[in-house]
Amino acid sequence: MTFSAVDVITAKREGAELSDEQITWVLDAYQRGEVADEQMSALLMAIFFCGMQSRELRTWTDRMIASGETLDLRGLSRPSVDKHSTGGVGDKISLILAPLVAACGACVPQLSGRGLGHTGGTLDKLDSIPGWRAALSNDEMRAQLESVGAVICAAGAGLAPVDRRLYALRDVTGTVESIPLISSSIMSKKIAEGTQALVLDVKVGRGAFIKTIERARELASTMVTLGEDHGVSTVAQLTAMDQPLGRAVGNALEVIESLEVLRGGGPIDVRELTLALASTMLDLVGIDVDPREKLDDGSAYDVYRSMIMAQGGDPDAVLVPARVHEVVTADTSGYVTSVDALCVGIAAWRLGAGRARKEDPVSAGAGVMCLVREGDRIAIGEPLFELYADDGEHLARGRETIRDAVAIGEEQPEAATILLEKITR
Amino acid sequence: MTFSAVDVITAKREGAELSDEQITWVLDAYQRGEVADEQMSALLMAIFFCGMQSRELRTWTDRMIASGETLDLRGLSRPSVDKHSTGGVGDKISLILAPLVAACGACVPQLSGRGLGHTGGTLDKLDSIPGWRAALSNDEMRAQLESVGAVICAAGAGLAPVDRRLYALRDVTGTVESIPLISSSIMSKKIAEGTQALVLDVKVGRGAFIKTIERARELASTMVTLGEDHGVSTVAQLTAMDQPLGRAVGNALEVIESLEVLRGGGPIDVRELTLALASTMLDLVGIDVDPREKLDDGSAYDVYRSMIMAQGGDPDAVLVPARVHEVVTADTSGYVTSVDALCVGIAAWRLGAGRARKEDPVSAGAGVMCLVREGDRIAIGEPLFELYADDGEHLARGRETIRDAVAIGEEQPEAATILLEKITR
């Protein structure tokens, strides 16, 4: 059936529900090049304003999945379960979680991305390990899932290719921040990847792109519904992203911190969030193993080493922070009332750990070590942050930003909770 | 100053007022090709939803004018005054009004367009006169204004060229129906054309693209403000467009009817609307002449003949309706309670008088003659419409549509008024 792009845009603009036929036609015609970018961007903006009903969104997501290949992981000897985070500052959880959950008996197909803006990308972090490669073929990925149980690699171009075009278009047309568009973009790739179960870590707070709990709930329940409708057991965990997760923010810095956690140590918040997400993932695939044991007995670390080696990386390589280094100290005494994750994320980005455009390189060693957390008592002159950069120019840029990252007051703030709500169907 | 397109789009999307610098940058960068069509269409859709404040709209219009050349008609020996109609069915007023107002002592620089969809274009109507040409250079137009006093020609590509690109973009991206975008598109060309005064005929009703009086008021006052802000004395007349204007709908058919009015006859509603608009135009430029006299004494007709001849046309050519012809009769008796202008317009279009795409040709002779008006008493079997087409296929298409154009009831409806409200600053 053939429609006119103008009619579809106008219908959505006027708040109508698009029919399955209209949605199928417009996405297929866009893929064929018959609907132009300027028409699709107008439609995306109309969707930004008018939203999509769940039936529309399900069809929209179906067509994005159908635009490319889909993997089938059901033939593997273990159940598959994946995790997706909507992006936070210092979020290195995947590096620990994938091997941990594999050590407990599931397999974890983590197709990841690179960072843009103030949030880092898992692939950028692992790239700081000499020899490690992100690009795997579908067959390599499957083989590694069978042999090692965990894989963190780049999503292949064959999965939901229309999403790739739509994402690039949204990025330049101010249409990123739309719950149906975000949901269909994330879920089309996860569903196409073939995982049987999925835990969504939906970040909310200053350092996340979702700032309010209401919006986080809406995004989470939209994605959970989409997953369940497509036969993927899906649970969302809302987690606080007001202050950075752990101490390290930067690529190699976060890998170093992840190794501490994999060896049974590391920051409490990173350990606790990882364990909570691992439990939820294991529940979804019916594995009754306590992930705490697998972290403490070294099994998770062993899987991590195998996972890195399987992708050409040297797990024993010594990772070092960037050479230009500075300590930022407190200029007043009191309680740390906030450590602004957005501010720290931007500082790390400016120090060289992040990129402004997709094609920019990132520094492996640059970043921020956060030496205080909300609620800490601090005296004047005590260290707050360590900054790392490859040169003085980047250091200066990061220094300028980090000033505003900490607030110190006289009253001790309430203890922050990371785990907020869990959203199931 | 340089901005990012995404920032400008996002600001408008969030309902912010854009700064003059942002508006200037985005339109200039669009003209230079640095802002892409897909970015502009997203911005246009955001403007559709969030509107523009009057300061924003003034700057937006300024930049559209500044994107091309502007004419200066102040050196002419007579004051200049133009009319613009937002488009109706059977609206042949320009063909009578331009020579009439010139006959009263003003000069009328009518830069016109072609028809698209169910409303006809003034240039298409005049094209049915053998030899007549729509394209004049700026110098030819000025010379004709001085010698004849009236010119109806195609707007040159040099006036507000960004509007031409924006209009084409809006046409394919579902962003036509936005009051600030409509207003800036119309007014940028009229201001660039250099007229000193302007009367806007804002059509409202079934056969107009504006269906409600509230929206017509909003469009009218937006355009009046834009005109006055740019030094053009501007008044808007809201007029009813529920039933067609006059009896003739079609290109040659409307020229024939215009000639009847220019000779002192023709349908009352066409004559009265023309006289009302002429009086308003003459008032604006301070000319105290009764246009009724100039219509009745043949002076307007003389100017019409000179105007057609100056553009190569033969004013004595005999125009004939298309050869395939059919009369549609009433299948019940009673009062005509409505003659649906939209329906008649679509029928004329399908008979061959209009075009679906810009590049389509139109038939000179095709169209509809409306033999009844609202309030007429009609008996079963009496004629309602005459249909004209170049072939039986077109006739069949028009016949199918015209069925629904008339409603006949038992009670006589109230007499319809054409002249509604006048909007001044």
Side-chain angles (χ1 to χ4, degrees), chain A residues 5-6 9-10 13-14 37-39 41-43 45-46 48-50 169 171-177, chain B residues 5-6 9-10 13-14 37-39 41-43 45-46 48-50 169 171-177:
Chain A
V6 172
I9 298 165
T10 306
R13 193 196 74 185
E14 297 299 314
D37 279 340
E38 57 268 29
Q39 295 177 313
S41 68
L43 178 60
M45 187 60 89
F48 174 89
F49 280 99
C50 298
L169 184 63
D171 195 39
V172 298
T173 58
T175 48
V176 170
E177 296 85 355
Chain B
V6 172
I9 298 166
T10 306
R13 192 196 74 185
E14 298 299 314
D37 279 338
E38 57 267 29
Q39 295 177 314
S41 68
L43 178 60
M45 187 60 88
F48 174 88
F49 281 98
C50 298
L169 184 63
D171 195 38
V172 297
T173 59
T175 48
V176 170
E177 296 86 352

Side-chain angles (χ1 to χ4, degrees), chain B residues 128-188:
Chain B
S128 58
I129 300 172
W132 184 85
R133 64 189 174 96
L136 295 186
S137 71
N138 293 343
D139 286 345
E140 286 173 321
M141 185 188 118
R142 257 185 97 88
Q144 185 172 329
L145 279 177
E146 191 61 56
S147 60
V148 178
V151 62
I152 300 179
C153 65
L159 296 179
V162 156
D163 175 62
R164 196 170 290 254
R165 280 188 61 201
L166 286 179
Y167 192 84
L169 184 63
R170 286 165 58 209
D171 195 38
V172 297
T173 59
T175 48
V176 170
E177 296 86 352
S178 155
I179 284 182
L181 297 179
I182 295 166
S183 303
S184 54
S185 175
I186 293 172
M187 295 304 293
S188 61

Side-chain angles (χ1 to χ4, degrees), chain B residues 307-424:
Chain B
M307 177 180 88
I308 296 301
M309 284 189 288
Q311 291 172 245
D314 173 8
D316 298 315
V318 178
L319 302 182
V320 288
R323 61 177 188 85
V324 182
H325 169 253
E326 184 170 294
V327 176
V328 178
T329 57
D331 53 11
T332 179
S333 298
Y335 287 104
V336 175
T337 53
S338 83
V339 182
D340 187 324
L342 178 60
C343 206
V344 173
I346 293 173
W349 172 20
R350 292 192 177 161
L351 287 163
R355 55 169 71 78
R357 292 174 310 174
K358 277 193 288 287
E359 55 278 14
D360 293 345
V362 295
S363 158
V368 179
M369 289 301 292
C370 303
L371 307 176
V372 292
R373 291 192 67 74
E374 291 176 14
D376 287 356
R377 173 95 204 154
I378 189 100
I380 193 163
E382 284 188 330
L384 300 172
F385 300 105
E386 287 174 303
L387 308 183
Y388 295 92
D390 291 325
D391 53 53
E393 195 187 324
H394 280 87
L395 187 76
R397 280 189 225 155
R399 183 197 295 135
E400 201 182 326
T401 310
I402 204 76
R403 285 179 200 287
D404 304 320
V406 157
I408 295 174
E410 298 195 353
E411 280 184 48
Q412 184 165 22
E414 279 184 49
T417 314
I418 292 188
L419 295 170
L420 304 173
E421 300 169 18
K422 205 178 264 192
I423 309 270
T424 56

Side-chain angles (χ1 to χ4, degrees), chain A residues 147-260:
Chain A
S147 60
V148 179
V151 63
I152 301 178
C153 65
L159 297 178
V162 156
D163 174 63
R164 196 170 291 253
R165 281 187 62 201
L166 286 179
Y167 192 86
L169 184 63
R170 287 165 57 208
D171 195 39
V172 298
T173 58
T175 48
V176 170
E177 296 85 355
S178 155
I179 283 182
L181 297 179
I182 294 167
S183 302
S184 55
S185 175
I186 292 172
M187 295 304 293
S188 62
K189 279 175 293 191
K190 290 294 174 187
I191 295 164
E193 150 199 306
T195 189
Q196 291 161 249
L198 176 66
V199 172
L200 297 161
D201 180 0
V202 177
K203 305 283 189 196
V204 52
R206 282 194 297 264
F209 79 94
I210 303 264
K211 308 293 180 191
T212 67
I213 191 82
E214 292 76 20
R215 215 167 141 73
R217 278 186 199 123
E218 193 188 341
L219 176 62
S221 68
T222 304
M223 292 196 291
V224 167
T225 301
L226 270 180
E228 294 280 345
D229 280 350
H230 285 86
V232 180
S233 304
T234 310
V235 169
Q237 173 69 56
L238 309 194
T239 64
M241 182 34 70
D242 293 309
Q243 59 182 334
L245 198 53
R247 286 183 292 259
V249 181
N251 298 309
L253 297 177
E254 293 192 42
V255 175
I256 296 166
E257 186 169 275
S258 300
L259 287 169
E260 291 169 14

Side-chain angles (χ1 to χ4, degrees), chain B residues 89-90 241-249 269 339-341 344-345 370 373:
Chain B
V89 175
M241 181 35 69
D242 292 308
Q243 59 182 332
L245 199 52
R247 285 184 292 261
V249 181
D269 60 332
V339 182
D340 187 324
V344 173
C370 303
R373 291 192 67 74

